[in-house]
Amino acid sequence: MDRFKIDSHKLIYHIPRIHQWLQGKNIYPLYIEISLYGGCNHRCIFCAFDFLKYKPVTLNKDCLKKFAYEAATRGIKSILFSGEGEPLLHRDASEIVIFTKKSGMDVALSTNGVMLDKEKAKSLLGCLSWLRVSLNSATKSNYSLIHGTSKEDFNIVINNLERAVKIKDNHKHNCIIGVQFLLIPQNYREIIRLARMLKDIGVDYLAIKPYSHHASSNNRVAECKLKYADLFYLEKKLDKYSKGNFQIIFRRRAMEKIEEKKPYKYCLGLPFASHITAEGDIYPCNFFIGQKKYSFGNIYRQSLQDIWCSDRRKDITDMIYKIVNMAECRRSCRLDEINRYLWELKNPINCVNFI
């Protein structure tokens, strides 16, 4: 059982917001993903945002603080610092995370883990609801190949994870520390080895997800066809390591959906989440990043209220419903389970009162 609901959704815990949406009201999102920094210290072979050219763009600290304060007052519940670059390359990342948490929202961080040194771990773990490290190999040589970096980075990440777990345990922080593994042809033979390593380290979970190609990405992973059904045997092999406080989340359902036709015609989940780039542009989701015609506005020039309540956002959302083919969107994306849930609410089956 996935106790973290990584392969599902948590919209069912926000019934009042769903009710407002069903009534046709203009709701604010529950969740926003923010990119602190456009550049990255890795060149992963699967990178979805390689088309953005890893520009070393830094999101202004003061502007972001102003935005975070307003976001909390508008009912935004959570912020994930992730996005198109490595967030810990932002020199004020810790200060921003701390401020965002104090503003009243839940905060999470997704990182490749190289910059998660002792100082950052100590300052961050007490403020984060969860920390996720992207780690896609169990050997130094293959890690170097997949992450596009030096072999030494592998040991740095492992050591940083070990230290982060100790800091969390010593200070009794509630932060969930997890590792995400993207299952691709170059690494599926190493997943058992990595599971053993992470169980010994003491992280909370290892999530194994399928590759989902971004339409604008230039990476070559999509050319290496991998039939995930052929790898379902790994789920049973991994079961024996999923014991105690360590859980392995083999995202079989996400893998199955890669080959499925989406059962909904529109992305109904767009009002519930959004994405802000390192340049300050706010987009419906990461599928549209870099396409300025889909930008709702920019937090350097406008308040969240002005952006979210604007005619421009309404027009862009209407345009997405009219011209974006769901078959062309990313497979098994973050909003997929939410869309399935909302579509059923909007299009109920017969005899729903016979519960």
Side-chain angles (χ1 to χ4, degrees), residues 125-339:
L125 291 176
C127 297
L128 295 173
S129 295
W130 54 266
L131 169 74
R132 183 177 65 216
V133 173
S134 175
L135 178 56
N136 301 283
S137 179
T139 62
K140 292 191 293 185
S141 57
N142 204 33
Y143 179 89
S144 175
L145 170 68
I146 293 172
H147 282 259
T149 188
S150 66
K151 294 179 181 180
E152 288 71 27
D153 274 2
F154 178 78
N155 287 334
I156 291 173
V157 173
I158 294 298
N159 291 335
N160 286 348
L161 273 171
E162 289 177 339
R163 182 172 51 238
V165 169
K166 288 178 181 177
I167 291 172
K168 170 193 169 178
D169 292 344
N170 290 341
H171 293 273
K172 301 188 185 315
H173 293 315
N174 291 322
C175 177
I176 297 166
I177 299 178
V179 168
Q180 181 168 276
F181 183 94
L182 185 67
L183 200 60
I184 54 178
Q186 292 84 350
N187 65 8
Y188 71 90
R189 294 180 180 87
E190 297 184 349
I191 189 60
I192 302 294
R193 180 173 178 175
L194 183 63
R196 289 197 297 261
M197 293 173 62
L198 296 176
K199 181 175 175 60
D200 290 340
I201 289 173
V203 300
D204 294 295
Y205 71 81
L206 166 62
I208 303 159
K209 65 176 287 187
Y211 171 80
S212 174
H213 188 69
H214 191 293
S216 299
S217 176
N218 299 312
N219 76 61
R220 315 273 308 205
V221 174
E223 297 177 5
C224 303
K225 296 296 183 181
L226 187 64
K227 292 184 178 180
Y228 284 106
D230 294 340
L231 300 180
F232 286 167
Y233 72 90
L234 289 171
E235 185 175 17
K236 187 174 182 180
K237 286 193 171 186
L238 289 162
D239 274 347
K240 64 181 180 180
Y241 300 104
S242 194
K243 304 290 183 182
N245 293 325
F246 176 62
Q247 183 177 12
I248 294 178
I249 302 161
F250 189 85
R251 299 186 59 186
R252 181 171 181 149
R253 181 67 188 121
M255 297 176 195
E256 291 172 338
K257 289 189 295 185
I258 293 292
E259 304 300 329
E260 287 183 6
K261 181 180 178 180
K262 293 181 178 180
Y264 47 87
K265 294 181 180 179
Y266 315 109
C267 187
L268 298 177
L270 291 179
F272 294 90
S274 199
H275 189 111
I276 298 176
T277 68
E279 293 180 333
D281 290 313
I282 183 164
Y283 285 96
C285 76
N286 65 38
F287 180 79
F288 300 101
I289 287 177
Q291 303 179 63
K292 291 289 187 178
K293 69 178 181 179
Y294 290 108
S295 172
F296 293 153
N298 189 286
I299 63 172
Y300 284 118
R301 299 185 293 271
Q302 301 157 278
S303 69
L304 174 60
Q305 181 180 16
D306 287 344
I307 294 172
W308 207 255
C309 298
S310 67
D311 289 337
R312 178 176 174 83
R313 188 183 78 86
K314 182 181 181 301
D315 292 343
I316 289 173
T317 303
D318 290 343
M319 178 173 60
I320 291 172
Y321 289 158
K322 289 177 182 177
I323 70 172
V324 174
N325 184 349
M326 286 291 96
E328 297 175 357
C329 276
R330 297 186 75 176
R331 295 287 180 173
S332 194
C333 73
R334 190 187 302 276
L335 292 177
D336 182 72
E337 286 296 323
I338 289 174
N339 279 322

